[in-house]
Amino acid sequence: MTHSIANTPRPRTAGPVLGIETSCDETGVAVYDVARGLLAHTLYSQIRMHADYGGVVPELASRDHVRKLLPLIRETLRSAGMTTRDLGGVAYTAGPGLVGALLVGAACARSLAWALDVPAIGVHHMEGHLLAPMLEADPPQPPYVALLVSGGHSMLIEVEGIGRYRLLGDTLDDAAGEAFDKTAKLMGLPYPGGPALAKLAESGVAGRFRFSRPMTDRPGLDFSFSGLKTQVLLAYQANADDPEVKADIARGFEEAIVDTLAIKCRRALAQTGARRLVIAGGVGANKRLRAQLADAAEREGFRVHFPRLEFCTDNGAMIALAGALRLQAGLHEDAAIKVAPRWDLESLAAV
C-alpha cells in the first residue's frame, strides 16, 4: 500500500508533535518539539506476555496495544506538562510491521488529529530508526552510512538527507537479530533470545569456537546469516553433554555476527567515501558491536554514532522526531487510515 503525502501545509503544523509507535510488540509514545527537543516519552513492552509462546503472537500484540495506548498517551502528556490542546501534530508508525498492530496506532492517531484539527503523518518505521541518533546532543549530519540492524532487518543505507536514502546492502535470508533469536532458541535459551544469548556470551571463552563470517570473502554489502545458524546448531549438538561449552558457542556466534557487521560497515564507508557511520535498530544495543565499531572508528579516523540504548529498540521518540521534521516541512496525509505492512524505504519523499 502506498502513502499519498500532501505538499500543502495545514494549520498548526508548528508545535509539539505526539509520536505513536505500535508496529510490533512495544507500545511507545513521545512528545517532540523541533525547537525544544524531546519533551517526554514512555514505553510499554509486551515481552512477558509473548514469552509463554516463544515469540510474538500478532493478535495478542494488537489487543494489548488497544489496552495500553490511551493510558500511555495520557501519561506522556502529563510528563510533558501539556494537554492534547497543546499539540501541533500527530505522527504514527504506518509501516512496516504487523498489520493489526499498525492499525491500532494509525486509528488512534488519525482520530486524535481529526478531533484536534491538527495535521497527522504516517512515519516509516525504518526512517524512525535511521533518525534516532538525532535525538542525541551531538547528532550526525548527512551524508553518512547507516547500519540498520534489528530482528527483521540487516541493511546498509547511504543517507544523503531526510527521505534521501540509497540501499547499499540487505539481508538475503535471516536478519542479524533474527539469527540471534533463532540461535538462542535452538540452544534452549529463554525468550527474548537475542539478549539472553549476548548475556551468555559474556562468560564464554574467546576463540574456542570460530564460525564463518558470511559473505565477507566476496565483494558486495549484502548479508546472509542462515548458514551461520546451521553451523552453531551442529556445534551445539556435538557438545550438548557439556553445559559449559554453551557459553563458548554463544561467544563464537556473537563474534561472527559482530565481525561480519563491522567488516561490511567499513566496506560501505570505503565504497561511498563517507566518514560518518550511524548504528540503528535493536542489535545496535549489543555491547560487543558498539565496542568493536568504536575501536575501528578511532583507528581508521571515521566517526560512529549510536543512539542511547533506550532508543535502539522500537520507541515513540524516533517516530515523534521523524514526524515532526516532515510536518515542519509541510508534509501531511489525508484523513484516511492507511498502513503499509511492507513499505520500500527508498520510496519516501525527500524533505
Side-chain angles (χ1 to χ4, degrees):
M1 184 179 296
T2 58
H3 282 250
S4 57
I5 308 291
N7 291 310
T8 304
R10 291 180 59 189
R12 294 184 65 193
T13 55
V17 172
L18 181 74
I20 295 173
E21 155 61 23
T22 63
S23 65
C24 189
D25 60 343
E26 273 122 0
T27 313
V29 180
V31 178
Y32 182 87
D33 186 276
V34 171
R36 294 180 288 166
L38 183 63
L39 304 181
H41 73 98
T42 54
L43 182 70
Y44 173 79
S45 174
Q46 301 176 357
I47 283 178
R48 287 188 180 181
M49 180 180 69
H50 296 294
D52 291 340
Y53 304 93
V56 177
V57 181
E59 178 64 19
L60 295 181
S62 302
R63 291 175 181 270
D64 211 43
H65 288 309
V66 172
R67 287 189 289 266
K68 297 299 191 303
L69 185 52
L70 288 180
L72 281 178
I73 290 174
R74 297 187 187 103
E75 179 183 345
T76 306
L77 289 173
R78 282 197 301 269
S79 297
M82 62 178 60
T83 70
T84 54
R85 293 294 175 184
D86 299 309
L87 294 174
V90 183
Y92 58 95
T93 303
L98 302 175
V99 63
L102 291 169
L103 282 169
V104 175
C108 179
R110 286 291 346 166
S111 300
L112 183 59
W114 180 83
L116 297 174
D117 192 27
V118 299
I121 192 162
V123 172
H124 194 294
H125 183 77
M126 297 298 105
E127 181 172 61
H129 278 302
L130 286 178
L131 301 182
M134 294 180 66
L135 293 164
E136 306 304 325
D138 183 23
Q141 296 301 318
Y144 55 79
V145 167
L147 172 67
L148 182 52
V149 57
S150 65
H153 301 273
S154 292
M155 308 165 70
L156 279 164
I157 301 163
E158 185 178 19
V159 178
E160 297 179 351
I162 298 173
R164 295 165 60 198
Y165 309 123
R166 182 167 71 93
L167 182 63
L168 301 174
D170 202 351
T171 182
L172 302 181
D173 41 57
D174 290 348
E178 185 180 9
F180 263 103
D181 290 338
K182 288 182 176 179
T183 301
K185 188 173 183 178
L186 67 84
M187 292 177 66
L189 298 177
Y191 177 86
L197 190 149
K199 180 67 176 176
L200 179 63
E202 293 178 4
S203 60
V205 177
R208 184 170 182 184
F209 289 89
R210 180 173 174 82
F211 303 109
S212 66
R213 276 54 176 164
M215 298 185 70
T216 59
D217 59 348
R218 69 194 74 174
L221 296 172
D222 288 331
F223 301 95
S224 172
F225 295 114
S226 62
L228 177 59
K229 181 184 61 182
T230 302
Q231 293 177 44
V232 174
L233 173 61
L234 295 175
Y236 179 68
Q237 290 175 337
N239 296 274
D241 295 334
D242 188 348
E244 295 183 2
V245 174
K246 183 185 289 189
D248 300 336
I249 294 174
R251 175 71 177 263
F253 169 80
E254 184 184 48
E255 288 177 342
I257 291 279
V258 169
D259 284 353
T260 301
L261 294 174
I263 289 169
K264 296 285 186 170
C265 284
R266 294 160 63 198
R267 190 178 291 179
L269 290 172
Q271 178 176 308
T272 61
R275 303 310 298 160
R276 283 182 288 273
L277 175 66
V278 166
I279 309 301
V283 181
N286 182 273
K287 295 178 183 178
R288 198 175 305 280
L289 178 63
R290 294 169 84 98
Q292 184 160 325
L293 287 174
D295 289 344
E298 186 174 352
R299 289 194 314 270
E300 300 174 24
F302 62 88
R303 291 197 63 186
V304 60
H305 297 263
F306 302 97
R308 71 194 81 166
L309 295 180
E310 62 188 314
F311 296 146
C312 287
T313 54
D314 296 350
N315 63 87
M318 66 182 191
I319 302 304
L321 166 66
L325 294 175
R326 288 187 169 274
L327 288 172
Q328 183 188 45
L331 304 179
H332 68 272
E333 293 182 339
D334 58 35
I337 298 172
K338 298 179 296 229
V339 298
R342 296 180 181 274
W343 189 1
D344 180 9
L345 183 66
E346 292 178 293
S347 70
L348 294 181
V351 173

